[in-house]
Amino acid sequence: MLIKINGEEIDVADASTIQDVIDETNAPYTPGSIVCLIKGKKELEKNINKYKIKTNAGSIIIQLSESEEAKPLVDVWKNQYEDFVDLDIRWSTSTEVAIGPIVTDLEPTSEEYKYFEGDVVLSLSSFSNESTHLIILKENTTNVYSVPPFNKGIFARVIGGKKTLENLTDDDKVTGIEPIIERSTTTDMAAVSDLSTVLEEGNELFTYISFDIDDDSPVCVEHLFSLIKDGRIKVSYDSESFIGFYDLEGIEKPKEDTTQRHRGTITVRNTGVGVGKLFIYRENRVLTPSHTTVGKIIKGMEIIDIAKENDFITVKSERQRLMLLNKTQSEATEILSQAGVEHLIDGIVDDDAIVVEQSPKHTIDILKEGQVITKSISKDDLCKIKFVDNAPRSVKYFKRLSGLLENPIGQIKVHFAVPGMHIVIFEGDKKAAKGLVPENNPVENVIRGQIGITNMASKSAGLIGIRFEDNSEFGPTAESFEATNIIGDIVSDYDALEKLKEGVVVYVTESNNES
């Protein structure tokens, strides 16, 4: 049976499941993500009421009539609009443009009717259904167009491209006609997570979204990349006009490229309430300086249309992120080589050294410059942390402060270190620490190797500490247990950390995010 997957028609065995087709085609898909299932093209198009008529001189957009009287004409259009593709502009006058002819089953009448600028009419020239033309009115007129006995032959109105319409001549031709899919046309799509669902003849399946990035927004594009985890992204909010991704809310980003927010546009909020939120638009919205444009959906808008809060969506970028942090030096060289970028090394040159810094930081800037400088450290010098699950605010504070929210390697700087005290304290951020309520406080003792944060119960809220011996009185930042939030355990060798001096930077990573 014939089906479509991600826009490509294939022949599959009867009773094939979604999983069978994904396996057979190697379609991009991350387990746990939703897929979009459409019964078929005609099933989708029955809800579409706008079409783009493309010509070599530009495009014209028409909107179908919703009146019951025009329904027979609308049905003819939906079934036969592709017949007008590759046809010439038959004639163009000051009053009208005609495209055709095609053959239909319509019957003509001989009545004279009044028409208005923008009307779109099916006309049976010479009273013959073998000479059916599309007539688009440029100005008001009264005429006999040999129309069918339905709604004066009017089935649509022009809502865009009037300048193109005025400029068309009989030297021009129709190069294509596309249904315009909007949020309101997707009511018969289904979000499916059960991959054992059996497919039927004519079904259409979409497994992923693909986007291209905006070269004029390097910082905010990296913000988009940071939201993608394990090849997928999680929906935080959905509405009629957009879906939102809020995991990095609160991280300030600059105003970069700002454009019209057309359907499929991806933006990042760059100021005000909700800064750091990412949006993908289902419907057009006006330009606003508070939204930086970071990209546009190229494939898979069908999935965007049906996604709901907490759904996961498989994501593929047309251009890959050049994130080298937490890669070995040799892995970084291979990645850059494939991208045609020169790799310059600062410091340790060992193949198995771990990259902890890269310059430029952002993918677009790297591609523009054609080279990147990396700094690496020995694998043994990387501080690996296993975070707890029961201190979400404190863990997020640490990840945001260190940079782990957006990158696989973060940095913390030593604030206080005294030999013999068996603790080291790192710099915090008092402003960001205002919301650090007590959570996961120690009860009987603090265990050697635990990492903690001072909460709002102390004036020193936000400081980060590691303790190098068990203690039954004070936490990793030398505060009381009530003022201490434990966020995790150091799972790498941490003996060297006790010997560090003030101002030294320590590179950290999450233990389950190793290369």
Side-chain angles (χ1 to χ4, degrees):
M1 62 179 181
L2 289 176
I3 67 161
K4 278 189 176 182
I5 179 165
N6 298 317
E8 298 294 326
E9 189 172 72
I10 63 168
D11 193 357
V12 299
D14 290 347
S16 291
T17 66
I18 293 175
Q19 185 69 66
D20 293 335
V21 174
I22 290 175
D23 292 342
E24 183 177 336
T25 61
N26 292 316
Y29 178 75
T30 303
S33 302
I34 60 167
V35 297
C36 176
L37 178 61
I38 304 174
K39 294 177 183 178
K41 178 181 178 182
K42 292 302 180 184
E43 194 69 24
L44 173 63
E45 289 190 9
K46 75 179 185 182
N47 297 313
I48 290 173
N49 70 345
K50 294 177 184 176
Y51 288 77
K52 179 185 289 187
I53 302 173
K54 295 181 175 182
T55 75
N56 55 290
S59 296
I60 302 164
I61 298 175
I62 65 172
Q63 182 167 332
L64 303 183
S65 171
E66 295 183 359
S67 74
E68 192 64 30
E69 188 179 355
K71 188 176 183 306
L73 301 173
V74 169
D75 289 342
V76 170
W77 168 260
K78 287 189 173 185
N79 287 324
Q80 292 189 243
Y81 70 84
E82 291 175 331
D83 293 347
F84 287 102
V85 176
D86 292 330
L87 296 184
D88 294 330
I89 303 301
R90 190 66 181 277
W91 68 80
S92 178
T93 69
S94 60
T95 304
E96 67 202 25
V97 167
I99 304 168
I102 68 168
V103 179
T104 64
D105 291 331
L106 296 170
E107 295 293 332
T109 66
S110 57
E111 301 295 324
E112 182 179 73
Y113 294 109
K114 183 174 180 59
Y115 297 92
F116 296 92
E117 176 188 349
D119 284 343
V120 185
V121 178
L122 285 176
S123 164
L124 281 62
S125 298
S126 304
F127 300 94
S128 169
N129 59 9
E130 295 184 356
S131 188
T132 302
H133 286 76
L134 189 68
I135 305 291
I136 307 176
L137 276 299
K138 295 160 72 172
E139 58 181 48
N140 300 349
T141 188
T142 299
N143 209 332
V144 177
Y145 281 127
S146 308
V147 296
F150 312 108
N151 202 42
K152 302 190 297 184
I154 302 168
F155 72 94
R157 292 276 307 166
V158 174
I159 61 170
K162 290 184 180 180
K163 186 174 181 180
T164 297
L165 183 63
E166 290 291 339
N167 293 334
L168 286 176
T169 71
D170 54 13
D171 292 326
D172 298 314
K173 68 182 298 183
V174 175
T175 58
I177 300 178
E178 293 180 356
I180 298 177
I181 298 176
E182 300 176 294
R183 171 68 171 160
S184 59
T185 67
T186 61
T187 54
D188 289 329
M189 295 183 182
V192 180
S193 55
D194 181 5
L195 302 189
S196 65
T197 301
V198 176
L199 298 172
E200 299 177 357
E201 178 85 25
N203 283 176
E204 292 193 46
L205 190 64
F206 297 88
T207 64
Y208 74 103
I209 65 170
S210 176
F211 65 88
D212 199 5
I213 53 180
D214 187 328
D215 288 336
D216 295 322
S217 301
V219 178
C220 291
V221 163
E222 216 66 31
H223 190 76
L224 163 61
F225 282 136
S226 297
L227 280 161
I228 302 169
K229 306 291 185 183
D230 300 321
R232 63 183 190 172
I233 192 169
K234 186 179 182 181
V235 179
S236 304
Y237 180 82
D238 79 279
S239 71
E240 195 66 28
S241 58
F242 67 87
I243 56 175
F245 306 87
Y246 301 164
D247 284 355
L248 297 182
E249 179 184 1
I251 298 180
E252 295 189 8
K253 294 296 169 184
K255 177 183 175 182
E256 296 179 294
D257 192 26
T258 54
T259 68
Q260 294 286 343
R261 293 177 292 173
H262 295 299
R263 173 175 161 82
T265 299
I266 311 171
T267 71
V268 171
R269 178 89 180 185
N270 59 48
T271 188
V273 177
V275 64
K277 289 182 176 180
L278 183 131
F279 304 86
I280 302 179
Y281 288 89
R282 291 166 162 167
E283 296 180 351
N284 295 346
R285 286 291 178 267
V286 296
L287 182 150
T288 172
S290 62
H291 282 258
T292 293
T293 299
V294 296
K296 180 174 178 59
I297 300 297
I298 303 300
K299 294 180 180 178
M301 269 305 296
E302 294 81 1
I303 295 179
I304 298 299
D305 283 332
I306 49 88
K308 298 187 180 301
E309 184 176 338
N310 294 321
D311 283 343
F312 285 95
I313 299 172
T314 297
V315 179
K316 182 180 176 184
S317 174
E318 293 296 303
R319 287 180 282 177
Q320 297 304 308
R321 185 186 194 188
L322 294 178
M323 170 50 66
L324 310 174
L325 305 188
N326 213 23
K327 304 293 185 185
T328 66
Q329 200 86 261
S330 60
E331 288 173 335
T333 299
E334 176 63 23
I335 291 169
L336 293 172
S337 175
Q338 292 178 2
V341 175
E342 183 182 6
H343 186 192
L344 305 177
I345 299 173
D346 178 19
I348 298 177
V349 297
D350 297 348
D351 282 349
D352 59 353
I354 301 298
V355 177
V356 292
E357 294 184 29
Q358 64 181 62
S359 179
K361 294 181 179 180
H362 307 123
T363 299
I364 290 172
D365 292 333
I366 292 172
L367 293 172
K368 285 180 180 178
E369 294 189 18
Q371 65 178 30
V372 60
I373 303 171
T374 62
K375 176 183 176 181
S376 299
I377 63 174
S378 168
K379 199 169 188 177
D380 295 336
D381 292 334
L382 185 60
C383 180
K384 300 172 185 174
I385 306 170
K386 183 172 179 59
F387 293 103
V388 298
D389 296 325
N390 56 347
R393 288 193 178 187
S394 301
V395 169
K396 188 170 184 177
Y397 164 83
F398 178 88
K399 288 184 174 181
R400 179 178 175 182
L401 182 70
S402 65
L404 281 178
L405 265 185
E406 297 183 272
N407 303 300
I409 295 285
Q411 303 178 23
I412 52 177
K413 184 182 290 187
V414 177
H415 174 68
F416 178 78
V418 177
M421 286 192 64
H422 305 297
I423 62 171
V424 61
I425 297 176
F426 300 90
E427 293 178 359
D429 183 334
K430 283 190 175 182
K431 182 180 178 181
K434 288 182 178 179
L436 287 179
V437 296
E439 55 183 357
N440 196 33
N441 304 123
V443 179
E444 295 182 355
N445 66 326
V446 171
I447 301 169
R448 180 174 184 260
Q450 284 189 321
I451 181 169
I453 295 175
T454 301
N455 63 39
M456 293 170 58
S458 169
K459 293 181 180 179
S460 301
L463 290 178
I464 302 162
I466 302 171
R467 186 165 283 283
F468 301 102
E469 65 172 5
D470 295 356
N471 193 294
S472 59
E473 294 184 76
F474 300 104
T477 58
E479 296 282 357
S480 65
F481 285 3
E482 291 78 12
T484 300
N485 295 350
I486 299 297
I487 63 168
D489 298 279
I490 308 299
V491 295
S492 54
D493 184 3
Y494 48 77
D495 288 339
L497 295 176
E498 191 173 0
K499 303 171 185 177
L500 296 178
K501 296 180 179 180
E502 294 175 13
V504 173
V505 171
V506 173
Y507 297 97
V508 296
T509 189
E510 190 166 357
S511 64
N512 57 359
N513 283 344
E514 295 179 32
S515 298

